[in-house]
Each structure stands twice: as structure tokens, then as C-alpha cells.
Amino acid sequence: MVEAQSEMPDACIWNFDIGHARYPDGTTRPLEICDSCLAIMSSPEHLDRSEKKSKSGHSVHVFEVCEALNCFFGSTVRASIEAYNQRLGPGTREGKAVLQAYRLGSKKGPHDIDMLDLEFAADNGWHVYLVNFEVFPPPNDRSSLYLTSRAPRYDLASDEMFSSIKGWIDDCGKTHKRCPLLADTPLPTRVLDVGDPADEPRSLRLFETSGAVGKYVALSYCWGGPQQVALTTQTHTQMHQAIDLDTLPKTLQDAVFVTQKLGLRYLWIDALCIIQDSQADMEKELKTMALTYRNAAITISAASASTVHDGFLQPRHPKPSKYPRFKLPYRSWEDDSLPGSVIVQERIYHVPCADPISQRAWTLQERLLSPRLLVYSTHTLVWQCQTTKFTECGSEEMLDAGSERLEDAFFHADKPLDDEDFWYSWIDTVIDYTKRKVSFEQDRLVAIGGLASEFLRLSKGDTYLAGLWRRNLCEGLLWMLDPSVKQDLQPRPSAYLAPSWSWASVNGVVAFAMSTGMGFTAQVLSCEVTLESEAVPTGRVVGGVLRLRGPVREARWTGVTLWDVDTPQDGDDRVQAKGEETVFSRAIGNAWMDASDDSVPERVTCIRISGPRGLLVTPTESDIVTGGPVFRRVGLFEARLGKTDEESVKACDAWFACGGSGVQEIVIV
């Protein structure tokens, strides 16, 4: 056994039973690693012999780990396996511990390792994740010649950090083919002029661009309430002359500082560049919001700040870890005569959804439409562009929920976007968007309007209909409040926001029932929305009418389950044949309500849209003259009359055929 060189002070020595580093009497024993595990980063045959490609395309080296109780890796494995077995209940799972060494993305060479992933490989084929370690060289160590990743840095305002950021920007502009060029673009109507980089001290003022071009930074941040400092008709003149930096909230001060340190002159901040008490200016600027972020050279995302007063350049602190940070020998596998070492510590992933900015609806379009982002998250700084994503220490990150990107076609005119990619990109956008909150419910459609305008630009002549698209309208109608998300059914918005057939008419996280390969049993005869302003086709709506033609029949609805109208109250689950007539006397399937304040009628009308799925509607009073009844959507149903989708579709055919009203035209508002 060899004593591992712990990087933690004695007071923080590992105090978990699996390491036996601290005993009940308070005594400690130096962390030890057996000879076999010690050779992880210093024995080339370990990794060269076992290299393979993972499903994600990353290079992976796999080798077994010991289970010695007095070895760091071994004791970790034993304790983790015991905990795993306890979670699964009685019985012992047999298998072996494996350590996977990953090389992510584009690296220097075959031995440029990013992380070590400790797993339990059960004999039944299951792989159980135990713990993930990141790997980086100590300062001035030989291993830095072969490893790209570096130690985490927590001073995000240091000159060293800004030097790195400039390097990322330069590398992206010169080598990333998927990212737009770093060229001068038309400046927004107004920007903040943070001063000429050559001048000291640098001034700050509002600049009316009048068609000028240049490079600028955009800020994405959480307001956190009314803005005490803002551009208004009263402050307009003074801001053109000069803005006192000390009067700005901390987040805005930090944004000015970053812009100046990057050597850029212009900064766009919505509260200071849009006249907040002018409806005409607000409407004009909202129409070009998408372009503002798409043309920005860099977007600063103040992800860690809940309000404009918080700032985002405070020193970060490492997340708590139950494992110590330690050193392992490292040998240059191209020249094994030059030994070195590496630091290994638990890898704490950046979780975008946990940052305050991910809770705000407006900031989704700001992230997705920005070709390059500096994300000042709660625990680290993250660079993200169309090509890559990594933390400030050079460790590449997965595109987790909350960090997805739009298709390249949104940033390159010569890149195609087919109809399927268009639709699924929109679905993903809506799902992410509905997880977020708006401060004012009337912004439910407005805050996604910038993104919708970009989709409209690439839609090949499609029509935007209150959050849905004419070309995929039947698919789009199959939305529901996501049953996989823990959420309470909420009342509808207090004011009219959208027609009942649009997801924007309800509050909550939505999902879409996929209808791939099933075809459509309903036909859209017409669909029209009335806009608050014809000048903003992706803005607020004040009305909408949908005319459908499809199979219709009535059912009994309990709010959770759909029953046939002839079903006995005791829920008899038999299906009986009477001559040529089929009588269904069991539950038909699931039904999901749209809102808590929608009353559940004794009977509900079902209109089948695709496969076993369709809309639940009820008659409503309306001043629309149609010559027939007008309906309002109240939910979505899914018939479950078979063990498979195919069986359910056939049974659904029979259910509509035996007791339905045939194919009818209905109007939904």
C-alpha cells in the first residue's frame, strides 16, 4: 500500500466509514491506495489495452478496481455496493468494480484524460454509477503537457480568467465552423457605450446607434422586481450625456466591468436600452429582440443572480464533497522517463436548471438565440457556443437539461432545417419554456415571442397560431399538463391569454403526446387567431377559432378516467357482444384535465385526433356565429383498450364506431 497525498487539511479528512480515515475515538489514518489502483494514471498498459468508444463517441478506458477495505477506491466500491444492495432489498448482487477513464471531445492526445468514472458492473449486465472524479495537473507539473483540463478557478474577475475568456472567444471565432463569424453587425437601436478601451477613465453613456455597426455584448439577467434605474422618457436626455456607474444595480455594474475587460465598447441591457414607459418603443424593440441576441458577439448570462442587485462576479466556492481531493502518480505515456502527478477530486457537475436564471421565462430566448454565452452560474463559469460547452477549468460538459442549443440553421442561412427538426425543436422549446415563470401572466405568449419570430423566419411560409403551427396543428393539439412532473393542477389565467386549444391558455409544465406513424383521424378545416397587434404576429392574442372534422362520441369522465356512457357505476370491466353491436362496459382509458377550475361534467365530448388520443371538449357560450354548438377544450384523453398502442388503436376504432356520433364538424374556441 502507498500513502496517497491528501490535498485536504486534517480537519477535513474524509470522515466516512467507507474510507476508515477517521475513527470514532477521533484518530485518523492517512488515506491509502493499493499498488494496483495507484497505477491508474501511471501505467500506460492499463489504458492502452482497454480503450473503446462509448455510445456518445467519447474515448473510454475500462479496467477493474480492487475491493480492498483499506484502499481508497476499494473501500469506496465496497460501501457503494452495500448501499446499492440495501436499496434493492434482500439478496446480494454479484459483479466487479470498474474504473472508466474518459477523454471527452477534442483533446491533445490519447492519454488526455478528463475524468474517472467509478462504477459497479453487475453480473446481470447492469452498470451502477458510484462516483465520478475529475482529473487535472497540479501547478507547474509535467502532466500539464498532456492534460488539457485545469484546476477549478474561483476568482471569476481575475486578469487570468479574462485572459482565458478572450482565448475562448478568439478560438470560437476562428475555428468553430458551426458558430457564426465574429464580425461587425448592425447595432441595436440603443446601446450603452462603456468607453473606448484606450481611454482612462472610461465613461458610460447611452448611445443612439442610427444604423451604426460594431460588436456588442448583450446581458441576460433576472430583474427580480421593478427596476429603480431604467430608461424612461424622463431619464432619456440625462443618460445620453452620462450614466453614473455607481448608481447602477450590482448586476449591471458587473456587466459593464466584463464588457470593458473584454475590450469591447458596446453593451445592450433591456432596462437601459428600451424606453420602459413608452408602449410604442416597447412594441418596436420586442419585435427585434431575437435579432438583438442573435447578433451579439457575446451574451453574459448572470445565471447565479436572483435579482438585479445580486451581482455575479463574487468569488465562487467549491461544492461540498464527501470524498477528499488527492494526488496520484502520472507518467507521460509518450515519454515515461518524465514522471508527474495529477489531482483527483469528485466531479461536481454544472446543473443549469438549478440556477435562478433558469426559472425565468424571458431568459430562455436570450439563451437559445445567443451564439456565444458566458454563463456565470452558481458554482462556476461556463462557456457555451454552438460547437461546445465547458467550464472555466477546461472540463467539457454534457448538454444537460437547461443548456440545449437550437439547430445550426438558426445561425447560418445556408444550413437546412427540415420540417421534422423544426417541429421537434419547437416542442422542446415549449416544454422548457413552460417550466419557467413570468412575473405577469399576460406575458405567457409574449416572452416566447422572440423565439417564435425566429422559428417563423425559418418556417417556409408556415403560420404561427398562439403557440402552435398550422403545418403541425393536429400534432400540436395533443398537449397536456405533464403527468411525469410533480405539479398541482392550477386554475386558468385570470385574463384571456389564448384559445383553449393552445397550451398558452393554461398554467403549468406541458408535454406532447407523440403520434409518430399513427396518422390523423381529424382534419383541420380552419384555424384563425386574432392578434392584439397585427404588427406583432408572434405577440398577444385576443381570440382564436379552430374548426375540426373528426370522429366524435360522448363518454363519462371522472376527471382521471374515461368511461363509456353505458358503463355501470360499479365499473364492471367486461366487454360483451350483443349481436353485431359491441357494448363497452369498462374504463376506456386515461383523461388529463387542463385546469383545476374547469368543472368536470357528467358527460364529455371526445374528438379523436390521432391513434388512441384526442381532445375532451364541453359546450360553451360564445358569440361566434357558427350555425352549431361551440366547444371549449377541457382535457386530453388516451384510450387504453389493449396491451399495445396497436391494439388500443384498433379497439379505439371499434369504440368510436359502435356508439359514436360519426364524423362531425366542431368549433373550439
Side-chain angles (χ1 to χ4, degrees), residues 315-329:
R316 299 311 195 258
H317 302 283
K319 286 185 179 180
S321 171
K322 60 183 178 181
Y323 303 101
R325 172 169 141 157
F326 57 94
K327 284 183 181 179
L328 285 178

Side-chain angles (χ1 to χ4, degrees), residues 497-628:
L497 301 184
S500 66
W501 42 264
S502 166
W503 56 264
S505 67
V506 300
N507 292 309
V509 182
V510 303
F512 289 81
M514 295 293 100
S515 57
T516 305
M518 293 186 183
F520 298 100
T521 52
Q523 176 188 4
V524 176
L525 300 178
S526 66
C527 185
E528 304 297 333
V529 297
T530 305
L531 298 168
E532 182 179 83
S533 170
E534 292 295 333
V536 189
T538 59
R540 292 190 179 97
V541 302
V542 295
V545 181
L546 170 66
R547 287 178 169 82
L548 288 176
R549 178 180 175 83
V552 173
R553 72 159 296 168
E554 285 191 335
R556 180 177 289 115
W557 186 24
T558 65
V560 177
T561 305
L562 199 66
W563 303 84
D564 184 79
V565 290
D566 297 320
T567 301
Q569 292 299 320
D570 62 4
D572 181 9
D573 62 354
R574 293 171 297 167
V575 178
Q576 301 171 337
K578 294 183 178 180
E580 296 182 356
E581 181 182 3
T582 302
V583 178
F584 289 82
S585 40
R586 61 171 173 171
I588 301 303
N590 299 323
W592 294 275
M593 293 183 67
D594 289 343
S596 60
D597 53 351
D598 286 341
S599 60
V600 179
E602 181 180 352
R603 293 193 177 194
V604 67
T605 299
C606 307
I607 178 165
R608 190 180 180 192
I609 301 296
S610 175
R613 304 179 184 94
L615 307 185
L616 299 172
V617 298
T618 59
T620 184
E621 295 182 2
S622 174
D623 57 2
I624 297 176
V625 179
T626 64

Side-chain angles (χ1 to χ4, degrees), residues 15 98 104 237 245 336 379 430 447 584 646:
N15 57 3
V98 297
L104 304 179
T237 301
L245 182 63
D336 60 10
H379 292 282
V430 170
F584 289 82
E646 185 175 317

Side-chain angles (χ1 to χ4, degrees), residues 101-120:
Y102 283 86
R103 185 174 77 249
L104 304 179
S106 176
K107 292 296 180 179
K108 286 183 178 179
H111 306 125
D112 185 358
I113 302 302
D114 286 274
M115 63 184 185
L116 301 173
D117 198 4
L118 191 61
E119 295 184 353
F120 172 60

Side-chain angles (χ1 to χ4, degrees), residues 19 133 253 264 374 502 517 538 543 552 669:
F133 299 99
Q253 289 186 32
L264 295 171
L374 281 175
S502 166
T538 59
V552 173
V669 295

Side-chain angles (χ1 to χ4, degrees), residues 630-651:
V630 176
F631 293 86
R632 181 173 186 247
R633 172 181 158 144
V634 292
L636 181 89
F637 76 84
E638 181 178 56
R640 278 296 168 194
L641 295 166
K643 295 181 179 180
T644 65
D645 273 350
E646 185 175 317
E647 291 178 3
S648 289
V649 169
K650 291 180 179 179

Side-chain angles (χ1 to χ4, degrees), residues 181-224:
L181 294 175
L182 269 171
D184 288 348
T185 59
L187 296 175
T189 305
R190 305 174 194 90
V191 291
L192 298 179
D193 184 344
V194 303
D196 190 316
D199 294 341
E200 287 294 341
R202 296 174 72 170
S203 59
L204 179 65
R205 67 182 184 90
L206 186 67
F207 173 48
E208 296 278 347
T209 61
S210 303
V213 298
K215 297 181 181 69
Y216 65 94
V217 176
L219 176 65
S220 176
Y221 66 109
C222 295
W223 279 28

Side-chain angles (χ1 to χ4, degrees), residues 98-211:
V98 297
L99 194 68
Q100 300 194 106
Y102 283 86
R103 185 174 77 249
L104 304 179
S106 176
K107 292 296 180 179
K108 286 183 178 179
H111 306 125
D112 185 358
I113 302 302
D114 286 274
M115 63 184 185
L116 301 173
D117 198 4
L118 191 61
E119 295 184 353
F120 172 60
D123 289 344
N124 62 6
W126 285 91
H127 274 241
V128 182
Y129 168 83
L130 302 179
V131 64
N132 179 263
F133 299 99
E134 58 186 350
V135 179
F136 53 85
N140 305 314
D141 193 273
R142 294 288 305 181
S143 61
S144 62
L145 298 175
Y146 303 95
L147 298 179
T148 305
S149 58
R150 293 293 182 265
R153 293 173 291 184
Y154 301 110
D155 183 359
L156 304 188
S158 68
D159 289 342
E160 179 190 12
M161 182 65 72
F162 281 108
S163 177
S164 295
I165 295 172
K166 290 178 181 179
W168 303 338
I169 296 172
D170 185 62
D171 183 57
C172 177
K174 291 180 178 178
T175 67
H176 291 180
K177 294 182 180 180
R178 292 183 57 196
C179 298
L181 294 175
L182 269 171
D184 288 348
T185 59
L187 296 175
T189 305
R190 305 174 194 90
V191 291
L192 298 179
D193 184 344
V194 303
D196 190 316
D199 294 341
E200 287 294 341
R202 296 174 72 170
S203 59
L204 179 65
R205 67 182 184 90
L206 186 67
F207 173 48
E208 296 278 347
T209 61
S210 303

